[in-house]
Amino acid sequence: MTNERSVHLKKADLSPVYLQSERDADYAQLDDGTMTPDDNAAELSKEATDWLIRIREAPDDPEMRLHFERWVTTSRDHRREWEKTCRLWLSVGPLPAARDKPSADNFKPGRRGGRASLAIAACAMAICLLVAWVPGLLIVLQSDYHTGTAETRSLELEDGSTVTLAPGSAIAMDFGQSRRNLRLLQGEAYFDVAHDPARAFVVDAGGLEIEVLGTAFDVMVDSESTRVSLERGLVTAAPSGQEAAERRLTPGKALVFDRDAQDMTTSDIDAASIGAWRQGRLHVVNATISSVVERIQRYHPAWISLPDPVLGSQRVTGIYDLTAPDEALGALVDPYGGKVRRISSFARVISRF
């Protein structure tokens, strides 16, 4: 089962005033009520360094990963301090070799060099671990809202529109008086847009711009393409900066934008399959195995590797159960001789031997 949460956004949530108040809320206050941004920055710096060391000490702890993701996305100040701390420690020097690891004597009073060496080692290692831990962390840092593994999230926007984020997804929003702009940075989202002829609703998804006035549709971005599926209403779609190539979609139609080929194709789609991931089902039509694995990865707590490009290029059509991702992977690759091998609770490798 996916973990679902709902967030109700007011108009102020999308304004610079809100962002400022978000930063102000992070500042500690003295007894007389005055803000102390310097003290707050020092505290955040300490917390960021603590996180680097804690990650080094327990790299395989999924609960720590969850707590870290919550901490780093608490506010823009948290995110900026994390990035600054990482840059600082990476600039200090490389990770010491194992033979240079400080001994217990290094922790005696006055042995400050040993502590510094351990801190450098911990921080440098933490950066490497973070790449494996939080793929797309930079995307998360750019986003206003995101979801983790097997987590869905419903957002109610100030204009009455709703957005449901699939697991492993992220969006950034920019609402103004004449335009409602959103960017789907990664993953998938289902949009139910409130009609407002004075403000177009535009979604930028992987180099494809989708514009609507009032409609319901699903958008999915993966490493190969962007897919738009229209449930009701009317949408237009075109590669960014190529208005002349604009396509119009009607209900029951899907459009796939191939980023490498810069090509768009349309096809009929079963209305029941649009946004079916909200009910734990993944419908795919003529999709590559590698792209389906990429989508199932968002529901699986383990890292999934598919090193066989021939197997990954095979095309499939089917329905897969997202509430049981291991079984879904098996159903996906078994017909092609593939096997899902459980390396550990944190890793799966798919191969044909």
Side-chain angles (χ1 to χ4, degrees):
M1 297 295 289
T2 56
N3 174 24
E4 182 170 359
R5 52 177 168 167
S6 298
V7 177
H8 298 279
L9 306 180
K10 299 179 181 179
K11 189 172 184 178
D13 293 346
L14 305 175
S15 69
V17 174
Y18 170 76
L19 297 178
Q20 181 62 48
S21 65
E22 182 187 54
R23 290 191 293 269
D24 292 344
D26 292 327
Y27 290 158
Q29 290 193 1
L30 298 177
D31 292 339
D32 61 1
T34 58
M35 294 292 184
T36 59
D38 289 342
D39 290 346
N40 180 71
E43 179 63 24
L44 287 181
S45 178
K46 177 181 179 298
E47 291 176 6
T49 302
D50 287 344
W51 272 116
L52 287 171
I53 295 174
R54 290 170 65 187
I55 290 169
R56 169 63 178 87
E57 292 174 345
D60 294 327
D61 187 342
E63 185 175 355
M64 181 177 293
R65 168 181 174 170
L66 177 62
H67 287 309
F68 168 74
E69 289 180 350
R70 288 175 178 170
W71 178 86
V72 80
T73 57
T74 297
S75 74
R76 281 172 168 76
D77 283 345
H78 285 71
R79 288 174 284 203
R80 279 194 294 265
E81 193 60 47
W82 173 253
E83 291 178 280
K84 184 172 70 175
T85 302
C86 290
R87 287 195 300 269
L88 173 64
W89 285 115
L90 285 175
S91 69
V92 171
L95 181 66
R99 62 179 178 273
D100 297 327
K101 187 175 181 179
S103 66
D105 291 338
N106 292 129
F107 294 94
K108 293 180 180 180
R111 295 297 184 95
R112 302 176 67 179
R115 290 182 181 274
S117 296
L118 181 58
I120 294 169
C123 295
M125 178 63 77
I127 301 303
C128 297
L129 291 170
L130 210 55
V131 173
W133 254 25
V134 193
L137 177 61
L138 292 179
I139 289 180
V140 171
L141 296 178
Q142 296 173 42
S143 71
D144 291 307
Y145 299 96
H146 72 281
T147 52
T149 301
E151 175 193 17
T152 61
R153 187 173 187 178
S154 297
L155 309 173
E156 183 177 333
L157 309 185
E158 52 89 7
D159 66 338
S161 301
T162 60
V163 180
T164 304
L165 292 179
S169 303
I171 61 169
M173 298 190 292
D174 181 16
F175 274 34
Q177 292 184 345
S178 61
R179 201 169 178 84
R180 298 171 288 176
N181 289 352
L182 290 90
R183 281 192 301 151
L184 180 61
L185 301 169
Q186 70 176 14
E188 189 166 6
Y190 179 86
F191 298 86
D192 194 339
V193 180
H195 182 70
D196 185 351
R199 290 196 298 171
F201 192 101
V202 179
V203 178
D204 183 342
L208 186 71
E209 287 193 357
I210 306 121
E211 183 170 343
V212 304
L213 290 177
T215 187
F217 61 103
D218 187 88
V219 183
M220 187 272 295
V221 175
D222 63 23
S223 59
E224 301 173 356
S225 61
T226 298
R227 182 183 182 91
V228 185
S229 305
L230 183 60
E231 183 174 1
R232 70 170 190 271
L234 182 70
V235 305
T236 60
S240 300
Q242 300 181 38
E243 290 77 7
E246 181 179 276
R247 298 280 186 91
R248 179 170 292 193
L249 285 184
T250 54
K253 294 287 186 180
L255 179 147
V256 176
F257 171 56
D258 185 316
R259 281 190 290 280
D260 287 338
Q262 288 290 295
D263 180 54
M264 295 187 294
T265 58
T266 57
S267 62
D268 295 327
I269 186 171
D270 181 4
S273 71
I274 299 175
W277 52 266
R278 293 173 295 164
Q279 288 79 47
R281 303 190 310 276
L282 174 60
H283 291 240
V284 297
V285 177
N286 195 34
T288 62
I289 285 180
S290 61
S291 69
V292 179
V293 169
E294 185 177 338
R295 296 180 71 178
I296 294 174
Q297 174 71 85
R298 299 169 188 155
Y299 295 80
H300 205 306
W303 173 67
I304 304 170
S305 174
L306 176 56
D308 185 339
V310 175
L311 178 60
S313 65
Q314 299 297 316
R315 292 191 172 271
V316 297
T317 295
I319 302 175
Y320 304 95
D321 184 0
L322 293 172
T323 66
D326 271 325
E327 287 79 356
L329 288 172
L332 173 66
V333 302
D334 280 351
Y336 298 88
K339 299 297 180 184
V340 181
R341 307 184 188 281
R342 188 181 188 274
I343 305 304
S344 72
S345 60
F346 298 103
R348 304 288 188 275
V349 175
I350 301 173
S351 67
R352 292 183 293 180
F353 51 85

